[in-house]
Amino acid sequence: QVQLVESGGGLVQPGGSLRLSCAASGSIFSINTMGWYRQAPGKQRELVAAITSGGSTDYTDSVKGRFTISRDNAKNTVFLQMNSLKSEDTAVYYCNAAVMTAMGYRWLELWGQGTLVTVSS
């Protein structure tokens, strides 16, 4: 069974920082793009940041200069460093990855279980 497991959410004051982690586990042959999405109450899920296997990154405009996405390919893990957090960053954050399984070489799009980030004083 291939899955994504997230960690690192929590409560932080405005201006603070948090680091999210997402590890892929199971019978994995390779991982292509990994990313972070978020969904705030009453809003649609949106892409926050993505990173390819080669390290190219993309960010939504509202987090540019504040968030940094990175990955450790040897550990099948993606990170999201969030600095200068604002109340509008409050949301459930979901990890996403395009994974090729080692059994059957099938491509799967996987989602993590979600981790809540609350920015409030």
Side-chain angles (χ1 to χ4, degrees):
Q1 180 182 0
V2 182
Q3 62 180 352
L4 301 178
V5 178
E6 304 166 8
S7 61
L11 173 65
V12 63
Q13 292 185 340
S17 298
L18 278 177
R19 189 188 197 213
L20 306 182
S21 300
C22 172
S25 63
S27 183
I28 297 170
F29 180 76
S30 67
I31 302 178
N32 196 348
T33 299
M34 304 183 81
W36 290 94
Y37 288 71
R38 67 185 179 187
Q39 187 166 20
K43 295 187 177 181
Q44 289 188 333
R45 189 174 297 189
E46 65 170 348
L47 175 65
V48 176
I51 184 168
T52 67
S53 57
S56 297
T57 59
D58 190 27
Y59 299 90
T60 191
D61 286 346
S62 63
V63 308
K64 286 180 180 177
R66 300 189 297 122
F67 291 11
T68 302
I69 189 170
S70 61
R71 64 191 283 175
D72 183 335
N73 289 330
K75 296 183 179 179
N76 292 333
T77 301
V78 64
F79 306 97
L80 186 67
Q81 178 67 43
M82 304 184 292
N83 298 328
S84 302
L85 282 160
K86 305 175 181 180
S87 58
E88 50 263 43
D89 295 318
T90 295
V92 178
Y93 284 70
Y94 297 91
C95 175
N96 173 270
V99 175
M100 177 177 279
T101 65
M103 298 289 288
Y105 301 104
R106 294 180 297 122
W107 279 108
L108 300 176
E109 182 182 20
L110 300 180
W111 291 90
Q113 79 280 8
T115 185
L116 178 62
V117 172
T118 303
V119 184
S120 175
S121 55

